[in-house]
């Protein structure tokens, strides 16, 4: 249920399984923890200088309400990684997560969510768009 209609999909070599490796764009991960329908933790393996992980967690609050939570616990080391995060990746990551969460919410409600990207996200997407051969 991710926003792959607007963003590159995450590709994992062994699917949703502990030890599976992959990523999307410059971001590379390995799945460290996985509890189907409840929790997944991806540990960063790239780009160089990104240290930490991000998680998705689903919690049933009652019979008809669930909470979907994304947490990122990460630091950068080195100037290149820090600048990549501050200037580009942070903004693109946040827009991707917002689009993904909007898609999930739209799936379960009658109201269709659609978030407008900031001008910075639009410029970054244009700058990093793959060039035709």
């Amino acid at each position: 249920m991710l926003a792959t209609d607007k963003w590159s999909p995450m590709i994992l070599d062994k699917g949703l399984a502990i030890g599976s490796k992959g990523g999307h764009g410059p971001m590379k991960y390995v799945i460290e923890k996985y509890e189907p329908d409840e929790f997944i933790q991806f540990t960063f393996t790239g780009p160089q200088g990104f240290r930490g992980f991000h998680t998705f967690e689903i919690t049933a609050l009652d019979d008809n309400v669930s909470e979907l939570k994304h947490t990122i616990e990460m630091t950068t080391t080195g100037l290149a990684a820090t600048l990549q995060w501050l200037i580009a990746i942070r903004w693109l990551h946040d827009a991707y997560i917002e689009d993904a969460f909007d898609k999930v919410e739209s799936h379960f409600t009658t109201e269709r969510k659609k978030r407008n990207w900031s001008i910075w996200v639009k410029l970054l997407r244009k700058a990093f768009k793959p060039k035709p051969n």
Side-chain angles (χ1 to χ4, degrees):
M1 188 71 55
L2 295 176
T4 55
D5 57 327
K6 299 176 187 173
W7 301 91
S8 61
M10 179 183 288
I11 298 172
L12 298 165
D13 65 351
K14 298 175 190 165
L16 291 177
I18 293 175
S20 187
K21 297 175 185 173
H24 56 101
M27 306 311 297
K28 304 300 178 212
Y29 312 100
V30 62
I31 296 176
E32 292 289 334
K33 299 176 184 174
Y34 178 54
E35 297 173 31
D37 301 324
E38 293 181 18
F39 181 85
I40 191 163
Q41 178 176 310
F42 299 90
T43 298
F44 293 100
T45 59
Q48 185 174 343
F50 283 62
R51 307 262 189 262
F53 60 88
H54 71 109
T55 63
F56 289 93
E57 186 173 1
I58 301 172
T59 306
L61 301 178
D62 65 35
D63 289 344
N64 297 310
V65 178
S66 294
E67 176 184 62
L68 177 58
K69 180 178 170 183
H70 173 265
T71 303
I72 186 166
E73 301 246 353
M74 185 198 72
T75 59
T76 57
T77 57
L79 183 61
T82 301
L83 290 175
Q84 284 177 12
W85 175 254
L86 292 174
I87 293 170
I89 295 174
R90 178 180 100 187
W91 302 98
L92 294 169
H93 172 271
D94 288 353
Y96 181 100
I97 294 299
E98 289 170 2
D99 285 347
F101 278 26
D102 285 348
K103 192 166 186 173
V104 170
E105 186 174 346
S106 293
H107 181 78
F108 291 102
T109 63
T110 56
E111 182 183 348
R112 294 294 166 243
K113 296 281 192 170
K114 185 174 188 284
R115 192 170 310 269
N116 292 319
W117 294 326
S118 70
I119 189 70
W120 187 239
V121 169
K122 290 176 184 177
L123 287 170
L124 288 169
R125 283 178 55 89
K126 187 171 184 164
F128 293 117
K129 184 177 184 176
K131 309 290 185 245
N133 292 336

